[in-house]
Amino acid sequence: MSQNVLDDSRSVETTKKAIPKLIAVWIVTSLIGSLLVWFVLGPHLPPGTMTDQAAGAQFDIKFVSTLVPPVLFFIWIFFGYSLVKWRVRPGEDPLAPAADFRGNSKTQGAWYIITTVLVLFLAAFGTYFLVVPAGAGGGEGPNPIWTPNTKNMLQVQVIAQQWRFTYRWPQFGGMETTSIYLPVNTEIQFNVTSLDVIHDFWAYQLGVKADANPDVNNVAFTKTQQLGRFTVRCDELCGVWHGAMYNYGYVVSQAQFQQWATQMEAQNAAVTKLLPKYATTYTPSYAGNGGGYYPPQDPNANL
Amino acid sequence: MAIDYSKATGTGSSSGAPGGGGGGLLKPSIITGIIGGVIGWLLGHWIGNSFTQGYQQVQGSGSNDIAEFLGYFGMIIGWFAGLGALNYPIKKLFGVEPEAEEPVTEKGWGKYFRYTLDHKTVGVQYLFGMLIYFFTAGLLALAIRTELLSPTYHIWSPDTYIEIVGEHGTMMMMMMTSVVLGPFGNYVVPLMIGSKRVAFPRLEALSFWFTPISYFILLSGLWQGGFQSGWTGYAPLSVQQGVGQDTYILGFGLQGLSMVCASTNIVATIINYRAPGMSWSRLPVMGWSMLSLGFTMILSIPVLIDGLYVLGLDRTAQTSLLYSGHGGSSFLWENLFWFFGHPEVYLLAIPGFGLVAEIIPVFARKPIFAYKTSAAGFIGLAILSFFVWQHHLFQSGMNPDMRPLFMLTTELISIPTGFIYLVGMGTLWRARIRLTTPMLFMLGVYFNFLFGGLTGVYVSDVPINVTVHGSFFVMAHFHYTIMGGVIFAFFGAIYYWTPLVTGYQLSEKLGKIHFWTMIVFFNSTFLPLFAVGALGMPRRVFEYAHRLQFLNQWVSVSAYLLGASLLFFTVTFIWQIAVTRKPTVRNPWGSRSLEWFVESYPPPAYNFKRVPVVLSWPYEYGDPNALPVADIVNETKDLDPVGRA
Ligand code: HEM
Ligand SMILES: [Cu+2]
Ligand SMILES: [Cu+2]
């Protein structure tokens, strides 16, 4: 039996010597990368800090992003080193055998354990930051299980239909508006529903996203903490004008909000009287002049 | 023991295939298939129109879904009748023993346009079919990118735009699932396992001939008002749509049937048709990936077909299974769709990984590292893919209490995915690496998939998902895993196996130009889209914020250049196999795998004169004293594969 003789660059000794150097390069590059992500990129990461939930999402994105450089550099350094070091050299027989091993129980074991631990950690991390910030701004369906610690919430109903959003305010006489203003430093409960197909209420800067399903009330919570303008976009394909289904909202001071709301209430009084009673979901109707929508139990819905 | 000696040693004759005797235009082929299809459509459409006339919902509505469906049903039956695919089963049904024919040996080009039972012919049919489908959908992608050059100025009307998005996505998803299984699973895997044939040649042929008609039906949506529901087809939007939506149901459904046929065949072939000595522990990893893929298809695709059936009922028989107003639920579709849909995305990942793990050892001159782990990786991906579907519905409003669970299962998928990296990296360690074109593509898969995989952590984390769900971030994520994964592997596999399949060698220089342009422009197209999405741009929209214009233009220009790179491939590939035709040498890459030890390239009918006896593991690259992979190696190693004088 002829022995498979390997040239020096592929011998166990040479590669063993290289490993500490590779690890050093990896640690340094990862450290630099992660620090840059945390301190330089971090504060600019989406979706900003306009609400508690947005700030939470920003923290999560920042945290996960800091884990990226170590993984990225690990793989890159490994591949880079192998490809440079063990590429066939001119004059070498390209078909000659290289090292003959089929596995390495220590490496494999370490790999399984490290990836598993990492993954379990990430799942725990995600769960914690889902539960603690009251559902992290995501739609929790009709019976939310992660709720803010207060009864004192501003209720905003978001009604989506092809192709616009309107808002109903049960605490302001059930009026319906086409614009949205929110008071700062306030817990907000969005009740999202649809009159036709599935839409999605995405208030980017608020860190809120909830599908608007017909006949379903999808609840999402957020707590405003900064003044400013936010974008509302429909984020679930809803037909031809889906791309144009957006508007802007504002987080304003509590006094300004009160002023806006009372003014709207007065201005809309006549219309509010014609609206169906406030409900969590509505059934659209095409009967009558221009159609309308009704609470599901409304007897007129069947006329 | 699962090895079947008796069948494999026979001539493998499969009697009664069409395409044998007779001649002229009436000999069943794609032409008679088209004629049959047209007749069938006319008949079906007429029946549909005549018996629904009296119904109020049809009168004056300008659209008749029942006639649409029946027209296409007629077309499908006519198509297969015209192709001659029904002759054999019908004869059998009436107890007539069809005469034996030998379709496998037909010479010339004609066989590629016929319903044939030879797995190699079907593989080539698939290869060209897949390239056509990929380029069609790719052109549609460029149409999308053209619209997105400007945030406000529009090239397409909003409805045309959204229809193009849906056609692109649906075409890619339904077709590219077969992009490896179709051409290479069918062509190479039987050779790799030392078989003279596949288990179910009729199913295999059927699976291919579903694809042209499903392609045609899906595209026909474009001139019937299209469908505005995207590839996900969410109800009630998809119930609200015009007849274009029916083309989505039928196109996708037919392609689903195709996959069920193809996967049944490959699974049965791998289990039953391995040559003596090809034990499970010697099965090439490509075989393991095809097996995992096959089982995943068999279990997930029927759910899609069920879902489409429900949607079709809502659209024609006016049931309201997907409409909550009358007792149904739009969540039903979301669940059915994604119960299929997530396994679907792994149907796109597993075969790509299979190719990578198969091809890298050849160019590393080393045994594959952690062979069992790679097989476990494929199986793990396949199994886990059935337990994660609700991660597409984190914001949907259903089952909030299930979110931590689905977050966990989703993140667990990183473990078997990591196996594939472990295998690749271990194989490269202390290797002798040749950076040939196929190898570059396989390394490209690792490079690209890394971004897809890492961003997968973002999308699966529920709090982060609130921001990125439904945005271009997700869109970039899945293009990295699919286009960057299986499509790169597919092109690498074309460079790798073309010498075997055609007998011609492809230029390394042209191949490398293709590779480098493709990987640069691919990354320059999709990397910025992570930022675009994170900055707030939703998918499937024709208007976006002005501040995102520069990034979008960058992406669009890169996409054109990516298109140019693919055009370069098409031209050089066709040129080299049709015009310059440089004959290949035997076993050009120095592989140990069985497929290269056939007598000639392309392999003769029935592959091997006699069934080979497998003597060793195909990955013994590191041991110069290892036995050859099979006994036929020594018999064929001096034969000139292309018969040069
Ligand atoms: C050839 C390069 C490709 C380019 C330039 C490209 C580009 C695009 C673009 C611009 C969109 C629309 C995004 C939006 O507005 O929502 C899109 C959507 C999509 N693409 Fe691609 N794509 C390519 C290849 C692929 C491949 C290979 C696949 C899968 C096999 C794929 C699957 C999809 C899917 C599923 C969608 C979503 C469609 C929907 O929203 O319903 N694409 N692609
Ligand atoms: Cu919408
Ligand atoms: Cu999924």
Side-chain angles (χ1 to χ4, degrees):
Chain A
M1 279 210 64
S2 76
Q3 196 50 46
N4 175 15
V5 190
L6 282 176
D7 47 293
D8 181 51
S9 74
R10 296 183 178 86
S11 69
V12 181
E13 295 73 43
T14 322
T15 44
K16 271 220 173 107
K17 259 184 268 162
I19 290 177
K21 278 186 220 150
L22 290 177
I23 292 181
V25 176
W26 173 59
I27 290 179
V28 172
T29 47
S30 309
L31 208 64
I32 296 174
S34 295
L35 288 173
L36 284 177
V37 167
W38 186 269
F39 290 105
V40 180
L41 191 61
H44 306 290
L45 282 172
T49 51
M50 195 178 271
T51 63
D52 212 16
Q53 278 65 17
Q58 190 191 50
F59 171 79
D60 297 340
I61 294 177
K62 187 163 87 171
F63 183 82
V64 172
S65 302
T66 359
L67 299 181
V68 167
V71 179
L72 211 55
F73 289 133
F74 181 77
I75 307 275
W76 282 355
I77 290 171
F78 190 99
F79 273 88
Y81 180 80
S82 313
L83 295 183
V84 170
K85 185 87 180 166
W86 296 314
R87 196 173 161 185
V88 181
R89 304 263 174 265
E92 217 174 78
D93 173 9
L95 297 186
D100 189 19
F101 59 91
R102 301 160 174 219
N104 179 310
S105 48
K106 267 194 212 144
T107 320
Q108 286 169 250
W111 183 280
Y112 306 146
I113 291 169
I114 292 172
T115 51
T116 308
V117 169
L118 207 60
V119 158
L120 293 178
F121 167 75
L122 282 170
F125 172 84
T127 306
Y128 181 81
F129 285 99
L130 167 68
V131 173
V132 172
E140 292 188 53
N143 307 305
I145 49 180
W146 306 299
T147 52
N149 235 335
T150 165
K151 284 260 149 325
N152 228 336
M153 275 186 284
L154 175 66
Q155 301 282 331
V156 183
Q157 181 171 52
V158 179
I159 303 174
Q161 59 188 298
Q162 287 168 321
W163 287 274
R164 71 179 308 155
F165 291 106
T166 54
Y167 308 92
R168 281 195 77 169
W169 309 79
Q171 291 145 331
F172 294 89
M175 67 167 176
E176 184 168 6
T177 62
T178 53
S179 52
I180 175 169
Y181 282 70
L182 299 173
V184 76
N185 294 327
T186 310
E187 279 291 353
I188 309 210
Q189 174 174 348
F190 288 109
N191 301 288
V192 184
T193 187
S194 163
L195 298 181
D196 37 51
V197 303
I198 301 179
H199 302 263
D200 181 283
F201 173 69
W202 182 15
Y204 176 77
Q205 288 87 344
L206 302 186
V208 170
K209 187 172 282 162
D211 274 11
N213 304 284
D215 290 289
V216 175
N217 180 28
N218 194 5
V219 177
F221 302 100
T222 196
K223 181 162 189 273
T224 52
Q225 57 181 30
Q226 260 172 25
L227 303 179
R229 188 176 85 154
F230 58 89
T231 321
V232 174
R233 284 208 78 149
C234 178
D235 197 32
E236 207 62 82
L237 184 49
C238 57
V240 191
W241 294 102
H242 165 64
M245 191 164 158
Y246 58 88
N247 60 11
Y248 299 99
Y250 298 87
V251 178
V252 295
S253 73
Q254 301 200 349
Q256 272 171 320
F257 173 77
Q258 282 302 333
Q259 193 194 341
W260 174 80
T262 33
Q263 185 196 335
M264 278 308 200
E265 203 177 342
Q267 200 177 309
N268 283 328
V271 181
T272 309
K273 263 194 278 178
L274 301 176
L275 289 178
K277 239 179 93 209
Y278 179 85
T280 48
T281 63
Y282 304 96
T283 307
S285 160
Y286 301 102
N289 245 346
Y293 62 83
Y294 297 89
Q297 68 282 14
D298 190 301
N300 295 324
N302 295 325
L303 285 184
Chain B
M1 192 66 185
I3 297 170
D4 185 339
Y5 296 90
S6 57
K7 278 199 184 103
T9 45
T11 57
S13 103
S14 326
S15 54
L25 270 183
L26 286 182
K27 186 174 169 186
S29 76
I30 196 166
I31 298 175
T32 50
I34 291 172
I35 298 171
V38 172
I39 297 172
W41 183 83
L42 289 170
L43 211 65
H45 207 259
W46 174 75
I47 296 174
N49 270 328
S50 53
F51 90 80
T52 53
Q53 263 167 12
Y55 290 91
Q56 186 200 343
Q57 66 180 92
V58 169
Q59 283 168 348
S61 74
S63 80
N64 182 345
D65 294 292
I66 294 176
E68 178 86 0
F69 267 102
L70 291 183
Y72 280 131
F73 284 161
M75 181 192 277
I76 296 160
I77 295 169
W79 164 254
F80 281 112
L83 282 170
L86 305 181
N87 300 356
Y88 179 86
I90 288 177
K91 279 189 191 155
K92 273 280 197 197
L93 211 59
F94 289 103
V96 186
E97 196 48 48
E99 56 198 278
E101 283 169 16
E102 286 294 329
V104 177
T105 50
E106 186 183 335
K107 292 267 181 320
W109 283 85
K111 64 180 177 208
Y112 294 114
F113 299 95
R114 256 188 268 294
Y115 189 87
T116 117
L117 304 187
D118 173 26
H119 73 90
K120 297 190 290 301
T121 311
V122 176
V124 172
Q125 289 169 331
Y126 255 116
L127 176 63
F128 285 92
M130 285 298 146
L131 286 170
I132 291 171
Y133 310 146
F134 176 74
F135 285 114
T136 310
L139 282 177
L140 293 168
L142 296 187
I144 304 175
R145 283 316 320 174
T146 307
E147 167 73 37
L148 295 177
L149 278 168
S150 158
T152 44
Y153 180 82
H154 300 304
I155 309 279
W156 309 104
S157 60
D159 47 344
T160 309
Y161 176 72
I162 202 66
E163 285 153 26
I164 293 175
V165 173
E167 289 275 345
H168 162 76
T170 313
M171 176 81 70
M172 283 290 191
M173 291 311 261
M174 70 187 207
M175 291 302 188
M176 292 307 109
T177 320
S178 301
V179 77
V180 175
L181 171 61
F184 303 115
N186 285 327
Y187 197 110
V188 183
V189 168
L191 292 164
M192 271 183 173
I193 61 173
S195 171
K196 293 186 159 201
R197 51 167 291 180
V198 292
F200 302 125
R202 271 188 193 76
L203 274 188
E204 189 192 60
L206 193 64
S207 85
F208 171 74
W209 288 101
F210 270 125
T211 65
I213 189 161
S214 103
Y215 169 78
F216 172 78
I217 291 178
L218 187 78
L219 273 187
S220 77
L222 275 180
W223 62 84
Q224 300 181 76
F227 53 92
Q228 294 157 359
S229 65
W231 89 281
T232 46
Y234 278 10
L237 178 64
S238 52
V239 180
Q240 191 189 61
Q241 295 285 301
V243 291
Q245 192 79 40
D246 300 333
T247 66
Y248 163 88
I249 297 178
L250 283 159
F252 217 160
L254 282 182
Q255 189 50 29
L257 290 175
S258 156
M259 288 186 244
V260 172
C261 296
S263 52
T264 307
N265 173 53
I266 201 80
V267 165
T269 304
I270 295 175
I271 294 179
N272 296 309
Y273 282 76
R274 281 168 295 129
M278 180 55 85
S279 59
W280 287 117
S281 57
R282 284 181 182 159
L283 184 67
V285 278
M286 169 91 176
W288 282 109
S289 85
M290 286 297 128
L291 206 56
S292 319
L293 172 83
F295 275 111
T296 311
M297 274 190 184
I298 294 170
L299 292 171
S300 68
I301 303 289
V303 182
L304 168 72
I305 297 176
D306 289 348
L308 293 168
Y309 173 59
V310 166
L311 179 57
L313 281 180
D314 266 18
R315 294 183 49 77
T316 53
Q318 309 285 305
T319 54
S320 65
L321 302 162
L322 302 177
Y323 175 57
S324 48
H326 300 286
S329 167
S330 53
F331 287 157
L332 174 61
W333 171 265
E334 289 184 322
N335 274 314
L336 286 174
F337 183 82
W338 286 114
F339 191 84
F340 143 78
H342 192 87
E344 159 78 8
V345 306
Y346 277 84
L347 296 178
L348 290 159
I350 294 172
F353 291 153
L355 289 173
V356 169
E358 183 65 43
I359 290 177
I360 283 189
V362 178
F363 297 106
R365 307 320 287 173
K366 269 191 62 204
I368 183 172
F369 184 83
Y371 168 81
K372 286 192 182 135
T373 303
S374 76
F378 299 137
I379 297 169
L381 286 176
I383 294 175
L384 274 176
S385 72
F386 286 95
F387 295 92
V388 299
W389 79 96
Q390 284 232 345
H391 65 206
H392 298 273
L393 303 167
F394 279 150
Q395 319 308 334
S396 68
M398 71 174 93
N399 285 353
D401 47 346
M402 296 298 269
R403 272 168 217 176
L405 176 69
F406 279 98
M407 172 159 37
L408 174 67
T409 55
T410 305
E411 288 179 348
L412 285 180
I413 281 208
S414 316
I415 299 175
T417 312
F419 287 3
I420 310 299
Y421 274 82
L422 175 69
V423 169
M425 291 160 75
T427 308
L428 291 180
W429 191 247
R430 295 168 59 211
R432 195 184 304 278
I433 299 167
R434 272 179 298 162
L435 293 181
T436 58
T437 310
M439 181 67 163
L440 287 174
F441 273 98
M442 300 307 144
L443 294 170
V445 173
Y446 277 116
F447 182 83
N448 297 333
F449 202 92
L450 192 55
F451 291 104
L454 284 174
T455 51
V457 175
Y458 289 74
V459 283
S460 63
D461 182 280
V462 184
I464 299 179
N465 182 279
V466 174
T467 293
V468 294
H469 167 80
S471 76
F472 261 80
F473 188 93
V474 171
M475 192 279 208
H477 157 74
F478 70 73
H479 280 87
Y480 258 99
T481 55
I482 300 171
M483 172 95 191
V486 74
I487 299 295
F488 269 73
F490 168 65
F491 281 108
I494 292 181
Y495 284 100
Y496 184 72
W497 276 308
T498 294
L500 176 73
V501 171
T502 64
Y504 306 125
Q505 192 154 12
L506 295 180
S507 150
E508 275 290 295
K509 197 165 135 209
L510 296 174
K512 283 180 181 165
I513 295 176
H514 171 213
F515 169 76
W516 284 111
T517 49
M518 185 165 159
I519 195 161
V520 168
F521 296 129
F522 165 74
N523 280 282
S524 137
T525 303
F526 288 102
L527 205 55
L529 289 177
F530 288 118
V532 170
L535 290 171
M537 179 161 165
R539 287 164 69 178
R540 303 157 158 176
V541 298
F542 53 86
E543 274 188 9
Y544 56 86
H546 275 285
R547 68 198 164 103
L548 297 178
Q549 181 166 16
F550 174 74
L551 282 175
N552 269 294
Q553 286 179 337
W554 175 282
V555 167
S556 292
V557 171
S558 304
Y560 297 141
L561 293 169
L562 177 60
S565 166
L566 291 166
L567 186 66
F568 176 83
F569 162 79
T570 315
V571 172
T572 56
F573 179 67
I574 292 179
W575 182 258
Q576 291 180 85
I577 60 170
V579 182
T580 52
R581 300 191 152 189
K582 187 168 167 241
T584 177
V585 296
R586 172 161 288 277
N587 198 358
W589 313 114
S591 166
R592 278 180 52 89
S593 187
L594 200 44
E595 78 268 20
W596 296 98
F597 298 102
V598 288
E599 275 178 27
S600 62
Y601 302 167
Y606 301 117
N607 304 343
F608 306 100
K609 270 217 190 85
R610 61 179 173 77
V611 172
V613 175
V614 176
L615 303 174
S616 68
W617 197 46
Y619 304 108
E620 298 286 7
Y621 291 106
D623 178 2
N625 301 311
L627 286 175
V629 67
D631 60 348
I632 56 162
V633 169
N634 289 329
E635 294 163 24
T636 61
K637 73 170 188 276
D638 297 322
L639 297 178
D640 182 357
V642 289
R644 262 168 299 215

